[in-house]
């Protein structure tokens, strides 16, 4: 598919829009439909489209494999450690009320961080699985 | 009007499923799976479950179709002739399906406000979440805050899936790379 000019041009136009939409779904999930899981999948779909058209090597140039693997753990760690913060302050595990000046702002911050963790891990896992599958054919 | 939309969508779902079973061109089967997921996402929109429809559209239509296509690139496009007879699996599937349909006869009607699922914690979440969580999307509030443990568990499942794929496919690849480098 690398030789098809239409696919190359359209991909270069559409991939930034997909990334932007993924970020919108991620950070607007409190107000509209969406959230970390959907945003992570959409972000991964953008990267996978880029990899489909320009080859999986181009994904590896963009994000190194080590960094991608670190991101898989980083998202889950972010989620789990946000849960531990209230525990250190004498509240229950994952009780976001403790994180802010008042319970509502604490909930806002907690949900924001947790959804970010979900998005990071989901996107990294999806891209990793795609690279692992598609990379086997190249080798 | 909604009934007509539901009948058309569910009918198309059945047609797509049967077509996916009948076809032997695996490329076409993958396309059928994609259409099936898209129809399922539309059904979720009709049921007002926009968040679920979003996920189904992104995962079912997008990612899983691409993963199945990359797998097809490895295993070939045409289905092999099955080595076993289909009658015993067919019997098992029919019996299981009949048991499941028999089980649904006891369930409350769709949208019944007295159904147990609408009497348990859901009313409390809907009534208290503006005061306790304060974000307009109750689904996000339930997923991330009320059901934070469950979401953490789900994320751990996804993490484990990623680690599993890396363990099966990633490590072996690296050994091959080292082998070629030594040569």
């Amino acid at each position: 598919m690398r030789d098809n000019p239409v696919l190359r041009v359209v991909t270069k136009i559409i991939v930034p829009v997909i990334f932007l939409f993924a970020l919108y779904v991620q950070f607007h999930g409190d107000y509209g439909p969406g959230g970390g899981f959907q945003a992570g999948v959409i972000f991964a779909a953008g990267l996978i489209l880029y990899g489909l058209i320009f080859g999986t090597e181009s994904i590896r140039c963009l994000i190194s494999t080590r960094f991608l693997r670190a991101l898989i753990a980083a998202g889950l760690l972010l989620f789990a450690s946000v849960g531990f913060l209230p525990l250190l302050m004498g509240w229950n595990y994952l009780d976001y009320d403790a994180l802010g000046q008042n319970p509502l702002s604490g909930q806002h911050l907690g949900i924001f961080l947790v959804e970010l963790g979900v998005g990071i891990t989901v996107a990294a896992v999806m891209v990793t699985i795609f690279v692992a599958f598609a990379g086997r054919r190249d080798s | 009007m909604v009934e007509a939309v539901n009948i058309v969508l569910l009918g198309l779902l059945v047609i797509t499923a049967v077509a996916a079973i009948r076809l032997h061109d695996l490329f076409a089967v993958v396309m059928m799976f994609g259409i099936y997921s898209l129809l399922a996402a539309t059904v979720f929109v009709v049921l007002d479950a926009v968040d679920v429809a979003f996920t189904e559209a992104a995962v079912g239509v997008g990612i899983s179709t691409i993963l199945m296509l990359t797998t097809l690139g490895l295993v070939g496009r045409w289905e092999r002739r099955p080595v076993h007879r289909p009658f015993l699996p067919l019997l098992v599937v029919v019996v299981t399906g009949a048991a499941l349909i028999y089980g649904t006869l006891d369930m409350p009607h769709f949208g019944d406000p007295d159904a147990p699922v609408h009497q348990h914690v859901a009313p409390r979440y809907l009534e208290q979440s503006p005061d306790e969580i304060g974000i307009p999307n109750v689904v996000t509030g339930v997923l991330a805050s009320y059901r934070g443990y469950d979401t953490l568990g789900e994320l751990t499942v996804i993490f484990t899936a990623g680690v599993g794929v890396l363990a099966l496919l990633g490590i072996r690849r690296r050994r091959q790379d080292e082998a070629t480098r030594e040569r």
Side-chain angles (χ1 to χ4, degrees):
Chain A
M1 280 186 272
R2 290 170 211 191
D3 304 325
N4 191 326
V6 176
L7 284 178
R8 291 177 67 100
V9 172
V10 170
T11 304
K12 281 188 178 171
I13 295 171
I14 209 170
V15 163
V17 182
I18 295 176
F19 287 161
L20 198 63
F21 184 62
L23 293 176
Y24 166 78
V25 171
Q26 171 80 53
F27 297 119
H28 204 258
D30 299 1
Y31 304 96
F37 190 82
Q38 290 91 337
V41 172
I42 294 172
F43 201 89
L47 267 178
I48 288 174
L49 176 65
Y50 187 77
L52 272 179
I53 304 299
F54 297 100
T56 44
E57 280 304 317
S58 59
I59 292 185
R60 265 181 233 141
C61 294
L62 211 59
I63 309 173
S64 78
T65 316
R66 289 180 74 97
F67 185 62
L68 202 60
R69 285 176 192 181
L71 280 183
I72 294 179
L76 186 61
L77 272 177
L78 177 62
F79 197 139
S81 35
V82 167
F84 272 112
L85 278 180
L87 207 60
L88 294 177
M89 295 147 112
W91 293 57
N92 287 329
Y93 187 66
L94 282 176
D95 193 344
Y96 314 131
D97 286 3
L99 295 176
Q101 302 285 327
N102 56 58
L104 284 190
S105 67
Q107 290 284 348
H108 257 287
L109 183 65
I111 289 175
F112 175 83
L113 290 174
V114 158
E115 292 278 355
L116 190 64
V118 173
I120 291 172
T121 292
V122 168
V125 165
M126 295 296 165
V127 175
T128 304
I129 292 177
F130 170 73
V131 170
F133 270 71
R136 277 176 76 85
R137 194 166 41 170
D138 299 343
S139 60
Chain B
M1 186 60 206
V2 179
E3 279 80 8
V5 172
N6 277 336
I7 290 169
V8 169
L9 281 176
L10 293 175
L12 284 173
L13 269 181
V14 172
I15 294 172
T16 321
V18 172
I21 296 170
R22 303 277 312 165
L23 284 168
H24 292 283
D25 182 353
L26 293 177
F27 184 78
V29 172
V30 172
M31 292 299 121
M32 282 296 159
F33 284 160
I35 296 170
Y36 189 93
S37 294
L38 204 57
L39 287 168
T42 322
V43 172
F44 291 137
V45 172
V46 175
L47 293 172
D48 282 338
V50 200
D51 287 81
V52 188
F54 218 147
T55 315
E56 181 64 38
V59 178
V61 185
I63 303 273
S64 69
T65 305
I66 288 174
L67 285 183
M68 282 192 275
L69 282 180
T70 47
T71 314
L72 275 193
L74 296 172
V75 300
R77 179 172 172 174
W78 297 96
E79 187 181 338
R80 291 214 190 111
R81 190 168 280 280
V83 290
H84 54 80
R85 297 202 169 268
F87 299 112
L88 181 65
L90 189 68
L91 185 75
V92 171
V93 167
V94 166
V95 169
T96 314
L100 288 174
I101 290 173
Y102 176 72
T104 60
L105 296 180
D106 273 351
M107 284 172 71
H109 287 289
F110 174 70
D112 184 3
D114 296 328
V117 68
H118 299 308
Q119 298 292 323
H120 189 45
V121 286
R124 190 192 168 279
Y125 289 164
L126 288 174
E127 282 159 16
Q128 300 293 319
S129 98
D131 302 326
E132 287 181 349
I133 312 286
I135 61 171
N137 188 355
V138 184
V139 177
T140 303
V142 171
L143 278 181
S145 186
Y146 287 121
R147 294 279 171 204
Y149 278 97
D150 298 16
T151 310
L152 181 58
E154 283 164 17
L155 194 63
T156 315
V157 169
I158 295 169
F159 172 81
T160 316
V163 172
V165 168
L166 276 181
L168 286 171
L169 299 176
I171 310 287
R172 196 176 150 193
R173 208 188 128 67
R174 192 190 294 156
R175 267 192 214 132
Q176 279 173 351
D177 288 351
E178 280 165 11
T180 46
R181 227 172 279 149
E182 279 165 15
R183 249 181 261 154

